[in-house]
Amino acid sequence: MHTVIYNRSAAVAYARKWALLRNPAYYDFESLGGDCTNFASQCLYAGAGVMNFTPVTGWYYRSSFDRSASWTGVEYLYNFLVNNQSVGPYARIVPQEAAQPGDLVQLGDSNGRFYHSPVIVAVRPTVLVAAHTFDALDRPLATYVYHTARFLHIEGVRKW
């Protein structure tokens, strides 16, 4: 296994192309609790180029019925990214100032429940995001109402 650079520009280009649309290659989970993490995973995949097909703990999408929980679930994606020691993207939590385009920010409530996964598309002069569920492109992070945020910096991608 070897590590490659995460293609941030490809992730951001995908986010910009599909933020206000739906890629027909993926199911739209809007009516099943939201599409934000599905969209975030699509962006990550555009930048990573590889999925992790490990049953239960991996990160993959073949169809709406054949996907990992981490592809569409906020907490599951977080757990995959920060704990991944195998194939696919991996991340660590960083302060907002260290976030880069192509990274994710997850928004949470006062009970510590994280519920939204926007993709960062710009960081200067302010953090701008793209997202599904409440579709957004170049939305300032400061316009969201949330109690806490965690910034997931994609450090790299492991491939075979």
Side-chain angles (χ1 to χ4, degrees):
M1 192 168 357
H2 65 285
T3 302
V4 298
I5 295 171
Y6 174 61
N7 188 337
R8 295 177 178 286
S9 60
V12 170
Y14 185 97
R16 290 191 174 286
K17 179 175 182 176
W18 294 105
L20 305 177
L21 302 169
R22 297 296 186 270
N23 183 338
Y26 297 94
Y27 186 79
D28 180 359
F29 292 91
E30 192 74 35
S31 63
L32 297 173
D35 199 56
C36 70
T37 304
N38 175 40
F39 176 68
S41 285
Q42 292 173 41
C43 296
L44 285 172
Y45 180 59
V50 63
M51 294 181 192
N52 180 319
F53 292 97
T54 305
V56 183
T57 60
W59 174 74
Y60 64 91
Y61 179 96
R62 290 186 183 111
S63 73
S64 63
F65 298 103
D66 186 5
R67 69 184 194 282
S68 63
S70 60
W71 190 270
T72 53
V74 176
E75 284 294 336
Y76 294 104
L77 179 58
Y78 167 79
N79 287 330
F80 172 78
L81 289 171
V82 299
N83 295 307
N84 183 26
Q85 298 294 314
S86 186
V87 174
Y90 57 96
R92 67 183 167 90
I93 295 177
V94 297
Q96 179 175 332
E97 306 76 47
Q100 296 178 21
D103 287 342
L104 305 182
V105 56
Q106 292 188 323
L107 307 180
D109 63 23
S110 60
N111 296 318
R113 181 186 152 274
F114 287 85
Y115 56 83
H116 196 40
S117 298
V119 178
I120 298 172
V121 294
V123 294
R124 290 183 180 61
T126 185
V127 173
L128 300 178
V129 299
H132 277 186
T133 300
F134 301 104
D135 291 5
L137 177 58
D138 290 324
R139 180 175 174 177
L141 181 60
T143 65
Y144 283 90
V145 176
Y146 58 92
H147 184 266
T148 189
R150 61 186 176 203
F151 294 84
L152 297 172
H153 175 67
I154 310 304
E155 295 195 293
V157 179
R158 292 186 191 92
K159 294 187 175 186
W160 287 112

